[in-house]
Amino acid sequence: MEDFVYQNTTKILFGRNAEQKFASEVKAFADRILLVYGGGSIKKNGLYNRIVKQLQDNDIYFVELGGVQPNPLLSLAKTGIELCRTHDLQGILSVGGGSCIDTAKTIAVGVKYCGDVWDFYDGKAEAKTALPIGVILTIPASGSESSDSCVITNDSDANKRAMGSEFIVPRFAVLNPENTTSLSAYQTACGIADIFSHLMERYFTQVNHVDFTDRLLEASMKTLLVNAPKVLKQLDNYDARAEIMWAGTIAHNNLLNTGRIGDWASHMIEHELSGIYDIPHGAGLSIIFPAWMKYVCTHNKSRFIQFAVRVFDVDFPFDDEESIVYEGINRLEAFFSAMGLPTRLHQMNIGNEMFAQMANRCCKKGSVGHFIELHEKDVYQIYCLAK
């Protein structure tokens, strides 16, 4: 086990009607805020009206920035930065999923920075301060509601990049599973795939003696395996949505990182897909992760055997260890397929025309991944395995 320091400062308000308590949390850091949200779903289900009423009742001045889309764009974040500066806003409230939260995080670090906010994503700058952020979560997937990371797409060249900073960890996050029941089955499935992938990125490590966090990760994956069929059968199943929502937060708040070094190559490889083709991140991960596993599994066969046995209950006799490894991967693909997600690029009408360019962009700053180091030729082969 590696040495570690763990701290997470996000206050979680969880449960039915939890958003009724958010105004006092906002008042703790700001009287003037930017309200960031996505499309029209929060207006259709009444959440928007409830939020606005609380803001008005508590004398919180707000300026709206709507229109955040999946795979959020840098240009909209820059609009938000200018709104904050023009109206002297002191904080940000994000209502939505990871795209809204990551837009808010980008705005938060950009407001007090005199350069281009893309510098933080391009490795040219490091965040030293940020506006405080609060979150009302409506899509369990990214875990951004209590993480120190965010992802944005530069719409000038379709580059999708990540950054991390302690300054962008939200002050609070409201998690009401009732606010997720309007999600479609496909949106729900994409979110579950994203959460499952966050767990796997941490699970596949070369660090030894991490049994405690192994067991936590395995239990979290098992929770998704059990509750995914329930919620997809009954989209308003509160209990199943509650389990998935809390798993999504824990999967990415760095608790399950402790003492281990995760991989993260699959996320970086997928970013090229969703950056260029604008596919849902979870759908991209359901394609890339199994391909990555097939490419790297010989480098620590015992960990893949453990995954197959403990997570997917591979317990019947096989002729050799390789068969156990591949049965685990096959069952992962079957899980994704059963949720209606793709496991091959051709299912998303993506050919091999951009493989070389995507591999080059993915490794532009060097190798990716920690399980094994992947170079441009390796990433290209993973795209080929995924086609």
Side-chain angles (χ1 to χ4, degrees):
M1 185 184 294
E2 298 286 313
D3 296 346
F4 66 88
V5 174
Y6 176 72
Q7 178 178 352
N8 191 293
T9 55
T10 303
K11 181 177 181 179
I12 303 294
L13 293 78
F14 191 101
R16 291 180 172 88
N17 300 312
E19 69 273 5
Q20 293 179 0
K21 309 165 188 175
F22 85 87
S24 60
E25 302 297 333
V26 172
K27 291 280 280 188
F29 63 73
D31 291 311
R32 301 172 63 86
I33 65 164
L34 182 69
L35 177 62
V36 178
Y37 56 91
S41 61
I42 66 167
K43 293 186 176 180
K44 292 176 183 175
N45 63 20
L47 179 60
Y48 171 85
N49 288 337
R50 296 196 299 273
I51 290 169
V52 166
K53 185 177 187 305
Q54 280 204 60
L55 292 173
Q56 292 172 339
D57 289 348
N58 287 272
D59 297 320
I60 299 172
Y61 174 83
F62 65 95
V63 175
E64 297 185 33
L65 179 67
V68 178
Q69 63 185 60
N71 300 312
L73 298 176
L74 180 66
S75 57
L76 187 66
K78 288 184 174 181
T79 298
I81 290 169
E82 291 308 312
L83 286 173
C84 287
R85 290 171 176 168
T86 300
H87 296 276
D88 190 27
L89 304 181
Q90 306 157 346
I92 305 173
L93 177 64
S94 170
V95 184
S99 296
C100 290
I101 303 168
D102 288 0
T103 299
K105 288 179 174 181
T106 305
I107 296 167
V109 295
V111 170
K112 297 184 179 182
Y113 180 62
C114 60
D116 187 340
V117 70
W118 184 250
D119 291 347
F120 296 114
Y121 293 90
D122 208 25
K124 296 178 181 177
E126 183 177 337
K128 302 296 184 183
T129 185
L131 293 183
I133 303 165
V135 172
I136 298 177
L137 187 67
T138 63
I139 305 175
S142 73
S144 194
E145 65 272 10
S146 65
S147 79
D148 59 0
S149 59
C150 64
V151 178
I152 205 95
T153 299
N154 190 331
D155 27 345
S156 68
D157 57 9
N159 261 309
K160 186 176 182 179
R161 294 290 177 263
M163 69 156 285
S165 169
E166 63 179 296
F167 296 105
I168 60 174
V169 178
R171 299 286 184 90
F172 72 88
V174 172
L175 277 62
N176 178 358
E178 291 178 325
N179 289 331
T180 73
T181 57
S182 61
L183 295 173
S184 69
Y186 189 68
Q187 289 174 309
T188 301
C190 286
I192 292 169
D194 196 0
I195 298 167
F196 209 95
S197 296
H198 288 158
L199 297 167
M200 291 192 294
E201 293 282 21
R202 294 166 166 86
Y203 190 78
F204 289 103
T205 183
Q206 298 286 12
V207 178
N208 295 319
H209 307 295
V210 287
D211 190 53
F212 178 62
T213 43
D214 273 354
R215 299 288 184 175
L216 294 176
L217 287 159
E218 290 156 4
S220 300
M221 287 186 271
K222 283 283 196 182
T223 296
L224 295 175
L225 292 174
V226 168
N227 285 282
K230 293 179 181 179
V231 78
L232 293 176
K233 183 178 180 180
Q234 182 186 356
L235 290 175
D236 62 352
N237 186 323
Y238 177 89
D239 294 323
R241 286 201 174 275
E243 299 283 359
I244 292 165
M245 196 172 209
W246 188 224
T249 298
I250 297 299
H252 206 43
N253 72 352
N254 290 330
L255 173 65
L256 304 185
N257 278 11
T258 49
R260 56 201 300 135
I261 299 171
D263 183 63
W264 298 102
S266 294
H267 267 71
M268 295 185 73
I269 295 168
E270 194 288 323
H271 284 168
E272 300 304 327
L273 282 179
S274 50
I276 292 173
Y277 294 100
D278 198 29
I279 65 173
H281 181 51
L285 288 168
S286 68
I287 294 168
I288 293 299
F289 228 113
W292 173 86
M293 295 170 84
K294 293 168 189 174
Y295 192 79
V296 307
C297 61
T298 57
H299 292 271
N300 189 337
K301 204 174 290 184
S302 62
R303 178 144 290 273
F304 280 87
I305 291 171
Q306 180 176 299
F307 173 79
V309 172
R310 291 189 185 178
V311 178
F312 281 100
D313 301 323
V314 179
D315 60 356
F316 51 90
F318 286 88
D319 294 335
D320 53 47
E321 292 181 340
E322 185 174 316
S323 298
I324 299 174
V325 169
Y326 275 89
E327 180 62 18
I329 298 171
N330 290 340
R331 293 190 185 187
L332 174 65
E333 289 185 317
F335 170 60
F336 288 148
S337 295
M339 291 195 293
L341 295 175
T343 57
R344 297 291 186 276
L345 289 169
H346 70 81
Q347 293 173 274
M348 301 297 285
N349 297 314
I350 297 174
N352 62 3
E353 300 83 6
M354 300 290 288
F355 285 4
Q357 181 180 339
M358 290 192 298
N360 177 264
R361 294 198 337 171
C362 182
C363 298
K364 185 177 181 180
K365 294 185 180 296
S367 62
V368 297
H370 298 286
F371 190 78
I372 66 165
E373 289 187 359
L374 298 174
H375 300 277
E376 186 176 334
K377 62 180 177 61
D378 303 303
V379 173
Y380 179 84
Q381 290 301 320
I382 290 171
Y383 287 131
C384 290
L385 281 172
K387 68 181 182 181

